[in-house]
Amino acid sequence: MKRFYDIIVIGAGPAGMAAALAAAEKAPQCSIALIEREEHIGGILKQCIHDGFGLIRFKERLTGPEYAWRYRDMLAQHSNIDIFVSTFVIRIVQQNGGSFELTFTNPQNGIFTLSCTALISATGCRERTDRQVFIHGDRPSGVFTAGQAQAFINLKGYLPGKRFVILGSGDIGLIMARRLTLETAHIGGSVEGVYEVKSEPSGLTRNIVQCLEDYGIPLHLSTTVSALHGAGRLEGVTVTQVDGRMQPVAGTERYIPCDTLILSVGLIPENDILDSLAPKMDTRTKGPQVNQYMETTVPGLFSCGNALHVNDLVDYVSESGSIAGEQAALLCSGTAFEGNTASERAAATEIQPAAQAELCKNPAEIPIYADKTLLYQTPARIAPDGKQAVLYFRSAAQREQAVLTIRAETKTGSKTLFKKTYRSLKPPEMERIIVDTASIPAYTQQLSVSLTDAEPAHQAKEAE
C-alpha cells in the first residue's frame, strides 16, 4: 500500500471529483488519492434524480447520477488516481516541511496514515437541523431535513410520511415539495405548504415556478413553524407570522395537522476536519479564506466546492474544484506561484513588460473587501499575476438595475477595475464574474466591491 501521494483530495462529490480529474490531467506524473466516506463516489449527486445539472459543464441537462457518472468515467481513465471509499479522516497534521500527514480508517485497511504535498478539502456542506433553528414544543419523530427525506425516497425507496409541512424555501426543500407531491398522490398524501421566515424565497426562481407554482403548492412568506405537537409521532405544527425583525406576531398562530416536517433552513460548509490546521475562515461564507486559486492561508491547503461557500449550481462547484486541482498539481510539479513574490508572479506571465513592472509593485496577494450591499464574495484575496481570476458573489438583498463596481484602492486614490450593470440581483442566485488582474495598478492596498443603483439614464435605456 502506498504511503505517500502528491495530492490527497478529501471528499468525492462534484468538487472533489473535478479536483482529482484536473490534477491528473494537469500533471500526469503526480499521484492522487481521492478519499470518500460513503460506499460510492458522487456525493449528494447520487440522490438528486431530477435534471438540470451540467448545463454549463457538459452543455446538457443531466440528472445528478448522470453528472456523477460522467466524472466517474473520466476519473477511471487516469491510472494516477487511487480512490478510497468508506474511508473516514481521523486526524490531519502538517509536518515541519509543509507536507501533510493524514490518519484514516476504513474496513479494508483499519487505521492507516497517508502523507501528501498538497491537500484539497472538498468536504461539502451539511444541513441545519431543528435544534439549530430553535423550534419549541414536543420532540416527536417525523422531523427530517430535506436531504434526509430525499435520501429515504430516492436511495432507499421509503416514504418518510404522508402529510407534509416544509419549513424553509431552500432549493432542496422546493424540489422535495414537488417530489413528495408526486410520490404520495396515489395514497392521498399532500404537501400542506412551504413556510419561509423571510419576506423573500430562499431558492432559485426556476425552482419556485417548477416545483411549487406548477403543482399548486402554496408558499407562505414571513411565516415560520413555532411549535411541534405529538407524543410519539408528529401530529401537527403551529405556524406563526413574523414581522420585519423576525419576531412572532401575536394572534397569528395557526395549527396545521401533519405527520412529517421537512426542514430546508440552510446549509453550512463542512470544515471541522480542518480545525487542526487552523486556516483563516471567512465569517460571511463560513468557509476558508482563499485566493483565486482556491489556496487557503495554510500553504499547500486548498478548499473548493460547498466546503468553500454554498453554491447554487453544481457546475460552479466543479469549476472551483478544477481550479484547486490544477493549482495543486502545479504546486507538486514545482511550477506553481505559491510563495512567490509579486515580481516573480508577473515575470511568469505573458503580459507586456510595462504591465509587468506595474504588477511588481504590488504585494504577493491583495485583500478583497465587500461592503454590506453584498452577502459575500469569494475569493478573499487575489494574486496579481496578470491572469484572469474568477470571482463569485451574492447580493445582500433583492435589487433591480444594480451596478457592481470593483475598485483598486491605492495610496493616492482609487481606480475602477470592473463595472457591470445587472437587471436584477437576488440573494439566492449566485453571480460569477471574471476580473483581469493585469489591470490592477501599482501599489494597490486592497480591492473594494460594492453594489449601487444604476444611473437613471442607464435605467431608461435598459427599459427601451
Side-chain angles (χ1 to χ4, degrees):
M1 180 181 179
K2 291 179 61 173
R3 294 296 181 181
F4 175 83
Y5 287 87
D6 293 297
I7 301 168
I8 292 179
V9 183
I10 305 176
M17 292 189 297
L21 179 64
E25 293 176 342
K26 193 71 174 181
Q29 74 279 12
C30 289
S31 56
I32 302 155
L34 180 58
I35 311 297
E36 173 55 50
R37 66 183 177 184
E38 297 185 359
E39 293 182 27
H40 303 281
I41 64 174
I44 196 67
L45 291 170
K46 298 191 298 293
Q47 65 188 56
C48 298
I49 65 172
H50 53 280
D51 67 4
F53 299 92
L55 291 173
I56 298 174
R57 175 66 176 86
F58 296 110
K59 309 301 186 215
E60 295 182 55
R61 294 177 65 90
L62 303 173
T63 65
E66 288 174 328
Y67 190 97
W69 194 265
R70 290 283 181 93
Y71 268 99
R72 178 187 179 278
D73 282 349
M74 291 187 289
L75 290 170
Q77 298 174 16
H78 294 273
S79 59
N80 58 334
I81 301 176
D82 290 339
I83 299 176
F84 296 78
V85 296
S86 301
T87 302
F88 291 79
V89 182
I90 298 177
R91 187 182 65 164
I92 304 176
V93 177
Q94 189 168 29
Q95 304 297 316
N96 292 332
S99 63
F100 301 91
E101 183 182 84
L102 294 86
T103 304
F104 300 98
T105 182
N106 67 21
Q108 291 74 33
N109 304 294
I111 296 176
F112 62 100
T113 60
L114 299 176
S115 298
C116 63
T117 299
L119 178 62
I120 301 176
S121 174
T123 48
C125 56
R126 65 176 183 267
E127 296 177 280
R128 294 183 188 274
T129 68
D130 57 326
R131 301 299 191 270
Q132 292 172 295
V133 293
F134 306 108
I135 301 177
H136 299 287
D138 301 323
R139 289 291 178 264
S141 64
V143 180
F144 302 89
T145 65
Q148 286 176 323
Q150 187 181 55
F152 268 118
I153 295 176
N154 295 346
L155 295 181
K156 307 294 185 183
Y158 295 117
L159 279 176
K162 181 177 179 180
R163 193 170 184 181
F164 304 89
V165 165
I166 298 179
L167 176 60
S169 59
D171 288 314
I172 303 178
L174 300 178
I175 291 167
M176 285 308 299
R178 176 180 63 186
R179 186 81 172 121
L180 292 166
T181 298
L182 293 172
E183 289 297 326
T184 60
H186 69 289
I187 58 173
S190 64
V191 175
E192 301 300 310
V194 176
Y195 296 84
E196 171 58 57
V197 70
K198 299 177 183 177
S199 59
E200 298 174 353
S202 298
L204 295 173
T205 301
R206 72 180 188 190
N207 286 331
I208 298 291
V209 175
Q210 296 174 1
C211 300
L212 298 189
E213 295 178 6
D214 288 356
Y215 289 85
I217 302 171
L219 171 62
H220 305 271
L221 300 175
S222 299
T223 309
T224 190
V225 173
S226 55
L228 306 179
H229 307 282
R233 175 78 185 198
L234 183 68
E235 298 172 1
V237 299
T238 297
V239 298
T240 308
Q241 295 180 13
V242 299
D243 58 24
R245 298 177 300 164
M246 301 288 182
Q247 298 301 310
V249 178
T252 63
E253 298 87 356
R254 184 161 56 96
Y255 178 81
I256 300 177
C258 63
D259 61 15
T260 308
L261 174 65
I262 304 295
L263 300 175
S264 179
V265 289
L267 302 168
I268 306 171
E270 183 71 81
N271 290 291
D272 295 347
I273 196 64
L274 301 181
D275 286 350
S276 61
L277 301 178
K280 190 172 183 180
M281 305 299 286
D282 191 314
T283 57
R284 289 185 171 187
T285 65
K286 310 303 181 185
Q289 290 188 6
V290 297
N291 60 19
Q292 74 265 39
Y293 297 112
M294 307 300 156
E295 188 170 18
T296 71
T297 53
V298 178
L301 174 65
F302 299 83
S303 178
C304 57
N306 286 335
L308 176 61
H309 67 112
V310 177
N311 294 254
D312 49 17
L313 295 178
V314 70
D315 303 272
Y316 293 153
V317 170
S318 297
E319 179 183 44
S320 67
S322 295
I323 293 172
E326 287 188 4
Q327 186 65 8
L330 292 173
L331 173 64
C332 293
S333 60
T335 57
F337 292 148
E338 190 274 326
N340 292 353
T341 64
S343 59
E344 290 171 323
R345 293 176 187 268
T349 65
E350 298 178 356
I351 62 176
Q352 297 298 317
Q356 286 187 17
E358 290 296 295
L359 290 177
C360 290
K361 298 173 184 177
N362 285 315
E365 292 185 334
I366 299 171
I368 306 174
Y369 294 100
D371 65 15
K372 293 183 179 180
T373 60
L374 274 72
L375 194 62
Y376 70 78
Q377 106 292 325
T378 190
R381 59 191 194 279
I382 202 163
D385 56 13
K387 295 184 177 181
Q388 292 185 332
V390 178
L391 187 145
Y392 308 96
F393 76 91
R394 293 182 190 268
S395 173
Q398 184 168 335
R399 304 178 72 112
E400 305 297 328
Q401 298 296 337
V403 179
L404 177 79
T405 304
I406 301 178
R407 293 184 177 87
E409 309 292 344
T410 67
K411 295 179 180 179
T412 57
S414 65
K415 172 189 174 182
T416 299
L417 298 180
F418 181 93
K419 182 175 284 190
K420 182 177 180 180
T421 301
Y422 293 85
R423 290 179 179 270
S424 176
L425 289 173
K426 299 178 180 179
E429 298 176 2
M430 191 180 73
E431 301 292 338
R432 173 189 183 274
I433 60 174
I434 299 292
V435 178
D436 185 4
T437 66
S439 63
I440 298 176
Y443 305 113
T444 296
Q445 297 176 318
Q446 72 175 51
L447 301 182
S448 61
V449 189
S450 63
L451 286 168
T452 56
D453 294 330
E455 296 293 333
H458 183 84
Q459 293 187 23
K461 184 177 180 180
E462 287 286 333
E464 294 176 2

